[in-house]
Amino acid sequence: IIEQSLDLDFDVMVTDIAPVDLLLQRAGRLHRHQRTQRPRGLETPTLYIRRPAVVEGVPGFERGDTAVYDEHILLRTWLALTRHGTRIRVPQDVEQLIEAVYTEEAPPADLDDTIAARWARTRHRMLRERRADEQEAIDRWLRSPSHDGELAEFTANNLDEDAPDIHAAHQALTRLSGPRVDVVCLYRDDDGVRLPDGRSVDLRRAPGRELARALLGRSVSIGQRGLAPRILAQSVPAGWQRSPLLRHQRLLVFDPANLCRVERWRLHLDDDSGLEVTEDDGESP
C-alpha cells in the first residue's frame, strides 16, 4: 500500500529486499514533497535495504521474501545493487538498474561458479513457472463473442467454483496462487467439540442454519505453504458434508490454551491477532 497507493513523504525508509523496480517505487516516497526545511541530519533522502545473509558469496533470501517474489529476480536485484554502489540517482540510474534485472541476458561473465549455478537454477525454475502460468491462461481463456466454433466448447469443462481439494484444472480459478483451505476453529472438551460459548457440536449431524452460521463465524482461510495441503488431506466432518455452507470446511480442534498441532506446525488462536502459525523451526509467517 505504501509502495503504490499513498501519497506519503519520508526522510528515511527501511525495507526488506524486493525486485528492483519495487524498491525504486518505494524510494519514490522519500522526499516526495518539496519542503523548505528537513529535520537536521535528514537533509538527504536515505533508503536502507536489509541485507540478506551471504554464505560463500551467495545470498540466502528469507522464506517470506521468496514466498512473495521470484527468487531469480531477487538474486538479480541483489547483484545489480551490489555492483551499482550505495548512491542511486533518479531518474538517471533507473533504466540501467531495471535492465540489469529484467533483461534475458546471460549472467555476468565474472560471477564465480557458486553464484553462477544459483543464477542458472533459479532462472530455470522461473521460466518453468512462467510457462506453466502462460499455459494456464491459455486453458482458461474465454472465447470471443464472435467465436465461430462449437457452442459446446464454452461448457466443455465443468469447473467447481469453491472446492479446494480437487485438481486445479477443475477449479474456476480467479488468480494464480497456492492452495488455500477454510477451517473452522473449535474446542475440545470431555463430551466432544464445542463452540467458545459452550454449545456442543455433533459432527455426525448436518447443522441447522443458526449453528452453521455460528460455525462459519469461527472460520478462517489458511494459505500457509506446506500446511494448507496437510489440512486439505483431512476429511470434512460427515455432518458438514451434507451442509451447503460447510461442505468444504475442515475442522481444527484447539485445547484450553488455544493451541492446535498439525504435524510440524503449531497453531495458536490469539484474541487480538487471530490465528498465528509457527513452524517447529521457529519461523512465524
Side-chain angles (χ1 to χ4, degrees):
I1 292 174
I2 292 175
E3 177 183 287
Q4 300 193 20
S5 301
L6 299 178
D7 183 17
L8 299 178
D9 181 68
F10 296 95
D11 297 309
V12 177
M13 181 181 292
V14 181
T15 176
D16 291 330
I17 193 167
V20 69
D21 52 322
L22 303 185
L23 292 175
L24 292 170
Q25 184 80 16
R26 295 172 193 181
R29 271 51 184 167
L30 291 166
H31 287 198
R32 184 177 181 86
H33 299 150
Q34 295 295 325
R35 302 184 187 276
T36 57
Q37 186 175 0
R38 292 282 173 175
R40 180 179 300 176
L42 300 177
E43 294 85 1
T44 301
T46 304
L47 176 70
Y48 291 100
I49 303 173
R50 291 184 62 240
R51 185 192 305 272
V54 178
V55 179
E56 298 181 354
V58 180
F61 302 110
E62 295 180 2
R63 183 165 46 191
D65 296 325
T66 55
V68 178
Y69 306 117
D70 184 87
E71 184 180 0
H72 184 67
I73 299 300
L74 292 178
L75 177 63
R76 295 179 71 151
T77 294
W78 178 83
L79 281 170
L81 293 175
T82 300
R83 291 163 176 256
H84 182 82
T86 60
R87 183 177 179 85
I88 298 176
R89 300 170 300 161
V90 178
Q92 295 93 324
D93 297 332
V94 171
E95 183 176 358
Q96 171 192 345
L97 288 169
I98 295 293
E99 288 185 353
V101 172
Y102 286 103
T103 55
E104 296 296 332
E105 299 174 354
D110 59 346
L111 289 184
D112 63 40
D113 293 342
T114 304
I115 197 167
R118 174 69 66 84
W119 171 292
R121 186 166 59 253
T122 57
R123 183 174 185 271
H124 176 74
R125 183 168 60 243
M126 179 187 71
L127 294 178
R128 185 182 66 234
E129 293 173 353
R130 184 178 297 172
R131 286 192 295 268
D133 291 347
E134 291 171 350
Q135 186 60 50
E136 187 77 25
I138 292 172
D139 293 342
R140 299 177 183 278
W141 174 49
L142 296 179
R143 303 296 189 268
S144 166
S146 60
H147 177 63
D148 58 2
E150 295 291 334
L151 183 63
E153 293 180 23
F154 288 89
T155 58
N157 295 318
N158 183 20
L159 302 181
D160 196 316
E161 293 288 343
D162 57 355
D165 51 350
I166 63 173
H167 193 277
H170 302 295
Q171 293 179 3
L173 302 179
T174 58
R175 61 184 59 85
L176 294 172
S177 62
R180 301 192 68 85
V181 58
D182 292 329
V183 301
V184 174
C185 302
L186 298 179
Y187 293 93
R188 183 175 301 281
D189 60 17
D190 294 338
D191 298 323
V193 296
R194 60 174 177 80
L195 286 159
D197 60 11
R199 277 184 290 174
S200 179
V201 178
D202 187 346
L203 301 177
R204 298 166 299 178
R205 299 179 57 185
R209 179 179 296 273
E210 181 180 350
L211 180 57
R213 291 186 63 179
L215 292 170
L216 288 176
R218 301 287 302 170
S219 177
V220 62
S221 180
I222 295 177
Q224 171 72 19
R225 183 184 302 177
L227 173 59
R230 265 70 169 188
I231 299 176
L232 278 171
Q234 302 176 10
S235 298
V236 177
W240 296 4
Q241 295 177 23
R242 301 192 296 274
S243 169
L245 297 175
L246 296 165
R247 64 194 179 104
H248 296 310
Q249 300 279 340
R250 267 55 174 187
L251 172 65
L252 290 181
V253 180
F254 290 77
D255 63 21
N258 291 334
L259 295 176
C260 173
R261 297 283 306 194
V262 178
E263 297 186 17
R264 67 176 185 271
W265 288 274
R266 175 181 180 271
L267 293 81
H268 175 251
L269 283 175
D270 184 85
D271 292 338
D272 296 321
S273 58
L275 182 63
E276 299 174 339
V277 180
T278 307
E279 289 192 52
D280 285 342
D281 61 8
E283 295 193 30
S284 180

